[in-house]
């Protein structure tokens, strides 16, 4: 049998500034008497998405060679609201990696990819699209399947 007790633990505020878009590591430490427990998590703040935003993504493998391939990506804004400062996310299915990307800033962790717009291409009008992004990548010479799901600023694209 265990005698357990719960208590409210106040959080320490480290900054009075609002959080901007991006990912930060957050370490949480709980202390009770001589016991201490610590855990770390990654906290991601995404840019606000306009109400009425919806999307569709075209991902096309434009060329493929042993160990490498090129792909073109088009983001379609199928909603009723414009969007700016987009981040497109997806997961590769077969261990692919991006080696060179143009017209965006890429971050890849394992299969997960995030591409953020640049200052000159972040706005997509309602009913509009952006098709200037692409990349070269590597694949395993066995399977190079197209990703099956995409999201823009956390909104799943259809």
């Amino acid at each position: 049998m265990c005698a357990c007790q719960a208590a409210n633990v106040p959080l320490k505020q480290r900054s009075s500034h609002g959080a901007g878009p991006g990912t930060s590591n957050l370490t949480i430490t709980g202390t009770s008497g001589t016991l201490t427990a610590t855990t770390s998590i990654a906290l991601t703040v995404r840019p606000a998405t306009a109400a009425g935003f919806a999307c569709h993504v075209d991902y096309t493998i434009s060329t493929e060679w042993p160990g490498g391939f090129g792909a073109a990506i088009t983001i379609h804004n199928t909603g009723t609201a414009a969007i700016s400062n987009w981040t497109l996310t997806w997961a590769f299915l077969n261990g692919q990696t991006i080696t060179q990307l143009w017209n965006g800033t890429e971050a890849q962790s394992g299969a997960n990819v995030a591409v953020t717009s640049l200052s000159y291409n972040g706005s997509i009008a309602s009913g509009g699209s952006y098709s200037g992004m692409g990349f070269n990548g590597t694949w395993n010479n066995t399977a190079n399947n197209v990703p099956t799901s995409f999201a823009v600023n956390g909104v799943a694209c259809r």
Side-chain angles (χ1 to χ4, degrees), residues 12-94:
K12 293 181 182 177
Q13 183 177 350
R14 296 206 181 257
S15 172
S16 61
H17 303 287
T23 300
S24 297
N25 291 320
L26 178 66
T27 300
I28 301 169
T29 302
T31 304
S32 177
T34 60
L35 301 175
T36 299
T38 301
T39 189
S40 295
I41 61 171
L43 174 66
T44 300
V45 176
R46 300 191 190 286
T49 301
F53 174 76
C55 54
H56 175 76
V57 172
D58 289 328
Y59 176 108
T60 305
I61 296 174
S62 52
T63 185
E64 189 173 86
W65 60 92
F69 71 105
I73 298 175
T74 301
I75 302 170
H76 300 276
N77 181 346
T78 59
T80 59
I83 189 170
S84 61
N85 301 319
W86 50 261
T87 297
L88 173 66
T89 57
W90 74 88
F92 281 125
L93 303 174
N94 309 111

Side-chain angles (χ1 to χ4, degrees), residues 60-158:
T60 305
I61 296 174
S62 52
T63 185
E64 189 173 86
W65 60 92
F69 71 105
I73 298 175
T74 301
I75 302 170
H76 300 276
N77 181 346
T78 59
T80 59
I83 189 170
S84 61
N85 301 319
W86 50 261
T87 297
L88 173 66
T89 57
W90 74 88
F92 281 125
L93 303 174
N94 309 111
Q96 300 96 323
T97 60
I98 293 176
T99 57
Q100 178 187 27
L101 179 120
W102 47 92
N103 293 324
T105 301
E106 168 266 333
Q108 183 171 355
S109 177
N112 299 314
V113 177
V115 177
T116 304
S117 63
L118 300 175
S119 62
Y120 60 84
N121 65 0
S123 296
I124 306 173
S126 171
S129 61
Y130 177 67
S131 61
M133 181 180 37
F135 66 89
N136 290 324
T138 63
W139 68 294
N140 62 16
N141 292 319
T142 302
N144 190 11
N145 295 326
V146 171
T148 56
S149 64
F150 297 88
V152 173
N153 292 359
V155 174
C157 298
R158 302 190 200 297

